[in-house]
Amino acid sequence: MQALKQKIQAEGIVLSEQVLKVDAFLNHQIDPVLMQQIGHEFAQRFAGQGISKIVTIEASGIAPAVMAGLELGVPVIFARKYQSLTLKDDLLTSKVFSFTKQTESTIAISAKHLTAADHVLVIDDFLANGHAANALIEVIQQAGASIAGIGVVIEKSFQSGRAQLDAQGFRVESLARISSLADGQVSFLE
Amino acid sequence: MQALKQKIQAEGIVLSEQVLKVDAFLNHQIDPVLMQQIGHEFAQRFAGQGISKIVTIEASGIAPAVMAGLELGVPVIFARKYQSLTLKDDLLTSKVFSFTKQTESTIAISAKHLTAADHVLVIDDFLANGHAANALIEVIQQAGASIAGIGVVIEKSFQSGRAQLDAQGFRVESLARISSLADGQVSFLE
């Protein structure tokens, strides 16, 4: 997706060979027009697949997921990473290890909002080592729901997440695929 | 806002006289069409005010804020409640006490994305005791930015937040104002 790649080149900051900071338009400040374009792109790529629900994870997945949900005409669920007073019954949970934070946390989705009848599109901001995506897949499968695919805004293709998801047979659609962050430069696959 | 009030009556769950659960369309599962209507309503109420930026707080404020930002044509910043690897320099911070969680946390905004030139619309999902709104106001004022007003999706008018913000002279626009959650019933102010 050309507009996204241009935005990454213009406003992304390479913090290390592993970490790209996109706080200017996705992870802290959000560009709503770009989010709408991203939602449109996801909706086009997964059109006609019978998707009934989108599942993402707080906080940075919410904006692209809601824009995709608007266009596909389906509700969005964001998995909670943190305890909530009002979210405590009938929870589907999974452990997720955050590479960037070096901590393990538990993500939770209410079983009330996800059933075996659902066909789910997973959306997340980043795909790196696949920990968040795999945790989301696990809770969705606990609900008995099926998975239409995984939509990723920015994939770090040099890390293992994409290969793992491919190996499990999931359809992955990444809007920007980064082959390297070496020498402070963002290089894209293609 | 009629569509929102109807949604609250149909899908909100009164957990106590203080707590309304709206996990079905705002705080966990999100209704993208309703979020678009909410964004439209905020944009109309604050049109022509010279707003340059929207500030909200993760996670439930993001969806309504991004929809309002799309319509007003301005970027959205979500304050971080939790530590982030890529958000650590030049931070504006404020303490916020969560009534529902009974814990104090620190919210943070990057000074890079908010300046004295900004005229800010604050958006949040709930206004109860005003702790989150006041913390957001504090970080915005630390940046030297001015505040156009506060847009709230659901106001619990029987708690003190609204009166505090009124007393400080802020313009508050709440799309649903709840006068009482007594007897398991949601009653609205008119």
Side-chain angles (χ1 to χ4, degrees):
Chain A
M1 186 183 164
Q2 206 51 39
L4 174 62
K5 289 184 191 173
Q6 286 169 358
K7 194 80 166 179
I8 292 169
Q9 290 290 15
E11 300 184 20
I13 296 170
V14 178
L15 288 186
S16 73
E17 293 198 357
Q18 309 289 320
V19 181
L20 173 69
K21 178 173 174 164
V22 288
D23 278 14
F25 60 90
L26 180 59
N27 290 149
H28 181 41
Q29 182 167 259
I30 298 172
D31 179 336
V33 174
L34 182 65
M35 293 304 120
Q36 189 182 42
Q37 294 168 338
I38 285 169
H40 178 73
E41 183 73 23
F42 282 136
Q44 288 214 312
R45 294 194 188 194
F46 288 98
Q49 302 296 302
I51 289 161
S52 65
K53 208 151 275 192
I54 291 173
V55 171
T56 186
I57 188 164
E58 63 175 324
S60 299
I62 294 174
V66 169
M67 290 300 182
L70 185 66
E71 191 139 339
L72 285 169
V74 300
V76 173
I77 298 172
F78 65 91
R80 289 275 188 183
K81 280 192 256 184
Y82 308 99
Q83 227 184 330
S84 161
L85 181 82
T86 62
L87 186 68
K88 54 186 180 183
D89 300 321
D90 297 323
L91 293 182
L92 307 169
T93 66
S94 175
K95 301 274 185 200
V96 56
F97 180 78
S98 168
F99 177 83
T100 44
K101 295 180 190 174
Q102 294 288 317
T103 56
E104 189 180 69
S105 59
T106 300
I107 67 162
I109 283 185
S110 165
K112 201 172 76 176
H113 299 305
L114 201 59
T115 75
D118 280 313
H119 194 49
V120 178
L121 170 59
V122 176
I123 286 186
D124 205 4
D125 57 338
F126 269 95
L127 175 61
N129 292 297
H131 295 128
N134 279 308
L136 289 172
I137 288 166
E138 196 179 309
V139 293
I140 293 162
Q141 291 178 335
Q142 281 176 37
S146 55
I147 293 170
I150 295 118
V152 171
V153 180
I154 301 174
E155 173 188 309
K156 293 190 283 185
S157 310
F158 56 90
Q159 292 177 323
S160 63
R162 174 62 186 257
Q164 284 172 41
L165 295 173
D166 284 345
Q168 293 173 78
F170 291 114
R171 177 177 171 198
V172 181
E173 293 286 345
S174 302
L175 305 190
R177 303 187 70 191
I178 294 174
S179 57
S180 164
L181 295 172
D183 304 321
Q185 298 295 313
V186 181
S187 306
F188 294 104
L189 280 185
E190 234 84 23
Chain B
M1 186 183 164
Q2 207 50 40
L4 174 62
K5 289 183 190 173
Q6 285 169 358
K7 194 79 169 182
I8 292 168
Q9 291 289 16
E11 301 184 20
I13 296 170
V14 178
L15 289 186
S16 73
E17 292 199 356
Q18 309 289 321
V19 180
L20 173 69
K21 177 173 174 164
V22 289
D23 277 14
F25 59 90
L26 181 59
N27 290 151
H28 181 42
Q29 181 167 260
I30 298 173
D31 179 336
V33 174
L34 181 64
M35 294 304 120
Q36 188 182 42
Q37 293 167 338
I38 285 170
H40 178 75
E41 183 72 23
F42 282 136
Q44 288 214 312
R45 294 194 189 194
F46 289 99
Q49 302 296 302
I51 289 162
S52 65
K53 207 150 278 194
I54 292 172
V55 171
T56 188
I57 187 165
E58 64 174 323
S60 299
I62 294 174
V66 168
M67 290 298 182
L70 184 66
E71 190 139 339
L72 286 169
V74 301
V76 172
I77 298 173
F78 65 91
R80 288 276 187 183
K81 279 193 253 184
Y82 308 97
Q83 226 185 331
S84 161
L85 181 82
T86 61
L87 185 69
K88 54 186 182 182
D89 300 321
D90 297 323
L91 293 183
L92 308 169
T93 65
S94 176
K95 301 274 186 200
V96 56
F97 180 78
S98 167
F99 177 82
T100 45
K101 294 182 191 171
Q102 293 288 318
T103 56
E104 189 180 72
S105 58
T106 300
I107 66 162
I109 282 184
S110 165
K112 201 172 76 175
H113 298 304
L114 200 61
T115 75
D118 280 312
H119 194 48
V120 177
L121 171 59
V122 177
I123 286 186
D124 206 4
D125 58 338
F126 269 95
L127 175 61
N129 293 297
H131 294 130
N134 280 308
L136 289 172
I137 288 167
E138 196 180 308
V139 293
I140 292 163
Q141 289 177 337
Q142 283 176 35
S146 55
I147 293 170
I150 295 119
V152 171
V153 181
I154 302 174
E155 174 188 308
K156 292 191 283 184
S157 309
F158 56 90
Q159 293 179 322
S160 63
R162 175 60 185 257
Q164 285 173 39
L165 294 172
D166 284 346
Q168 293 174 75
F170 291 113
R171 177 179 171 196
V172 181
E173 293 285 345
S174 301
L175 305 191
R177 303 186 69 191
I178 294 174
S179 57
S180 164
L181 294 172
D183 303 321
Q185 298 296 313
V186 181
S187 306
F188 295 106
L189 281 184
E190 227 61 40

